Amino acid sequence: MIGITLLLFLFLNKASKGRVVEVFSILWFRIAFAFVILFAINLIASQFGFFIPINIVSGLLIAFLGIPGIASVITISMFL
């Protein structure tokens, strides 16, 4: 699957390759920043005896949804 994707990437023109790389770099930055946000929330919440699990699902949820994702992760972990 990865090989086919890379092969199709080679057939793109230069402008399209730049756009694909830009989209992937933005996505990876958002995911990394989501984990930083989760870590910061855990530092603050641990003082109150509250714990939010840091895993790929919560990271992706925050990366794609933004602030509503943060609210949903906090709400879900409060009720579970």
Side-chain angles (χ1 to χ4, degrees), residues 22-38 56 58-70:
E22 180 182 353
V23 167
F24 278 126
S25 65
I26 290 171
L27 178 68
W28 282 112
F29 176 77
R30 288 183 65 125
I31 291 171
F33 192 68
F35 283 110
V36 170
I37 294 287
L38 279 170
I56 191 69
S58 57
L60 288 174
L61 187 67
I62 291 174
F64 287 120
L65 294 179
I67 293 175
I70 294 170

Side-chain angles (χ1 to χ4, degrees), residues 10-51:
L10 290 174
F11 289 119
L12 293 175
N13 60 6
K14 194 173 223 177
S16 296
K17 284 181 186 177
R19 180 71 181 143
V20 170
V21 169
E22 180 182 353
V23 167
F24 278 126
S25 65
I26 290 171
L27 178 68
W28 282 112
F29 176 77
R30 288 183 65 125
I31 291 171
F33 192 68
F35 283 110
V36 170
I37 294 287
L38 279 170
F39 181 73
I41 289 172
N42 269 334
L43 283 178
I44 295 168
S46 66
Q47 296 174 355
F48 301 106
F50 187 65
F51 175 73

Side-chain angles (χ1 to χ4, degrees), residues 50 52 61 67-80:
F50 187 65
I52 298 173
L61 187 67
I67 293 175
I70 294 170
S72 65
V73 167
I74 291 172
T75 305
I76 290 169
S77 38
M78 282 175 54
F79 290 112
L80 289 181

